[in-house]
Amino acid sequence: MPRFFVYLCSMKRIENYDLSSHNTFGMKIRCALYIEYETVEELQNLPWKELPQPIMHIGAGSNLLFTGDFPGTVLHSAVKYIKFVDMGLDEVLMTVGAGVVFDDFVARCCEVGLWGAENLSLIPGEVGASAVQNIGAYGVEAKDIIAGVVCLDTTDWSKTIFKTPELAYGYRDSMFKHAKGRYIVTSVLFRLTRKYSPKLDYGGVRAALEGRDLTALTPADVRDAIIGIRRAKLPDPAEKGSAGSFFKNPVISREHFERIEAVAASHAAAGSPAPSVPHFDLPDGTVKVPAAWLIDSLGFRGAVNGGAKVYEKQPLVIVNESGSATPEEIMALEQDIISKIRETYGIELHPEVEHI
Ligand code: EPU
């Protein structure tokens, strides 16, 4: 059988495709063409110039807000494998296809007793996107366990391997985000360890394990605790559409933070004590302020605009409450929050969610 025919057989290729099940906000939008490939060779051999433009690659759509129908081609990886490379001693390398659901990878690590990924349990999304977005939770970021990233460079279709230091990882940031569209992540190399190394210092994690012997935990124990914390705070995308945290947590100077404390004190009801503003001092002297607190302090918890709503249990999240919220309704709420926070605190909130 000719090679080309084999590729066409295993690939999903659908025109005028409904992307509702490919964005966790549940926006009912369409793209001109949707292609899901199962091998890197299929991706390499696509007739790129003939595809409807522009071309974008998605993961699980868990960090995207589609603002309207997409006129071009949406690509999605169904490259799903998890391979272990035992390095002897404590270290285990894992090479994982970009299309693997990130939490399936975390579950697998925990099942076989490997440490490193457990704090990232239940984060929606796929492995390829985790390396682009540097997803993070409970004191761990993807970059902490990524040893390298294998990509296809769309300028010459060559396979390119980056080592972690080359990827300029930062808070929800990487080189990939600044080289928009150039690289397609095809697999990620993770470094895990057998060595006992639970990370329990992030607020709430130790408390969730109260009563347990903290010297004899398994990665699965920590995973269970993290899942419990997340379920209590964050909406289940299967039940209520959202894209997790809508905004990034702002980092400001200490002097700016002191002004915010003064503003918060001036807002306190007469006779009641000034509220303490939660914050985390960063090593470079700057201060991270939880965006959730800023949003809550201005009364946005539970605020509704049409079908969109600020989630009651976690005001950093905007949900598609009605199931039929429009992008405009979500963005109006977003703009309202951004401008009130700017006016009150002089802080510019930046969305974490990518607008398409
Ligand atoms: N913080 C610490 N130490 C702590 C607690 C918090 O340094 O012990 C810092 C964190 O850096 C965090 C900020 O303070 O960024 C606020 O922390 P909080 O636990 O209130 O979390 P959050 O702002 O509600 C962030 C992530 C979530 C992640 C949680 C738990 C963002 C935009 N969101 O949310 O990620 O699950 O921390 O780690 O950074 C997501 O990205 O969609 C998401 C849900």
Side-chain angles (χ1 to χ4, degrees):
M1 198 185 293
R3 263 161 67 97
F4 189 56
F5 187 60
V6 176
Y7 295 140
L8 286 183
C9 283
S10 57
M11 215 161 51
K12 199 191 254 183
R13 189 184 187 287
I14 307 174
E15 282 171 24
N16 190 24
Y17 184 72
D18 176 0
L19 287 166
S20 311
S21 60
H22 292 273
N23 72 99
T24 54
F25 258 122
M27 293 291 111
K28 289 174 184 49
I29 39 95
R30 290 182 171 271
C31 60
L33 180 64
Y34 175 79
I35 294 179
E36 192 173 87
Y37 56 91
E38 288 182 8
T39 66
V40 177
E41 290 70 31
E42 285 178 350
L43 176 67
Q44 268 170 321
N45 287 310
L46 285 173
W48 292 87
K49 293 221 171 77
E50 291 154 35
L51 300 176
Q53 307 287 321
I55 298 172
M56 79 170 285
H57 200 294
I58 60 166
S62 54
N63 203 41
L64 302 179
L65 176 61
F66 282 99
T67 57
D69 284 344
F70 186 72
T73 304
V74 170
L75 299 176
H76 183 233
S77 168
V79 179
K80 291 174 190 268
Y81 61 82
I82 302 183
K83 289 182 197 153
F84 292 84
V85 187
D86 194 332
M87 304 302 285
L89 297 172
D90 292 325
E91 212 171 77
V92 175
L93 291 180
M94 291 170 80
T95 164
V96 186
V100 170
V101 170
F102 190 81
D103 194 53
D104 290 349
F105 152 70
V106 177
R108 191 82 186 94
C109 296
C110 293
E111 255 168 45
V112 297
L114 290 173
W115 291 99
E118 61 286 349
N119 288 34
L120 303 176
S121 291
L122 218 61
I123 295 185
E126 292 170 3
V127 163
S130 75
V132 173
Q133 170 74 355
N134 187 24
I135 58 174
Y138 307 104
V140 174
E141 289 182 315
K143 72 165 174 57
D144 302 334
I145 53 168
I146 290 176
V149 179
V150 185
C151 305
L152 200 63
D153 184 342
T154 60
T155 57
D156 59 3
W157 307 111
S158 60
K159 176 178 162 178
T160 310
I161 304 178
F162 292 103
K163 292 193 184 129
T164 310
E166 297 172 288
L167 291 170
Y169 277 126
Y171 172 53
R172 301 292 193 275
D173 196 25
S174 71
M175 173 278 278
F176 296 122
K177 290 189 138 183
H178 304 276
K180 271 246 165 284
R182 171 162 179 187
Y183 299 103
I184 296 176
V185 175
T186 54
S187 62
V188 180
L189 189 64
F190 291 100
R191 184 184 288 116
L192 286 301
T193 178
R194 293 194 187 88
K195 200 167 142 203
Y196 189 75
S197 44
K199 299 206 174 47
L200 310 177
D201 291 336
Y202 192 97
V205 179
R206 210 175 281 275
L209 287 158
E210 212 191 309
R212 304 293 301 259
D213 175 358
L214 297 187
T215 63
L217 295 170
T218 65
D221 293 334
V222 178
R223 172 172 167 79
D224 289 347
I226 298 285
I227 287 177
I229 299 173
R230 288 187 77 94
R231 288 222 166 110
K233 228 173 138 181
L234 294 166
D236 176 354
E239 282 162 24
K240 202 168 276 199
S242 87
S245 300
F246 198 94
F247 299 99
K248 291 189 197 176
N249 289 310
V251 174
I252 56 176
S253 67
R254 168 127 295 267
E255 179 268 322
H256 192 169
F257 177 69
E258 281 159 15
R259 277 190 279 131
I260 282 161
E261 283 185 307
V263 173
S266 73
H267 285 187
S272 55
S276 70
V277 182
H279 62 283
F280 300 91
D281 292 307
L282 301 180
D284 63 359
T286 57
V287 181
K288 190 184 250 185
V289 186
W293 185 88
L294 297 168
I295 296 168
D296 199 17
S297 75
L298 297 183
F300 278 109
R301 190 187 285 265
V304 171
N305 182 43
K309 186 175 186 180
V310 177
Y311 194 52
E312 282 107 337
K313 290 190 211 161
Q314 164 54 302
L316 192 52
V317 177
I318 297 181
V319 291
N320 178 356
E321 179 69 15
S322 65
S324 55
T326 61
E328 290 74 23
E329 288 167 348
I330 293 172
M331 288 189 291
L333 206 46
E334 169 190 10
Q335 285 313 320
D336 202 12
I337 291 171
I338 290 176
S339 56
K340 295 244 166 54
I341 288 191
R342 186 191 298 127
E343 278 162 30
T344 314
Y345 297 116
I347 291 180
E348 195 62 34
L349 274 194
H350 295 287
E352 196 212 5
V353 170
E354 193 181 342
H355 296 50
I356 308 292

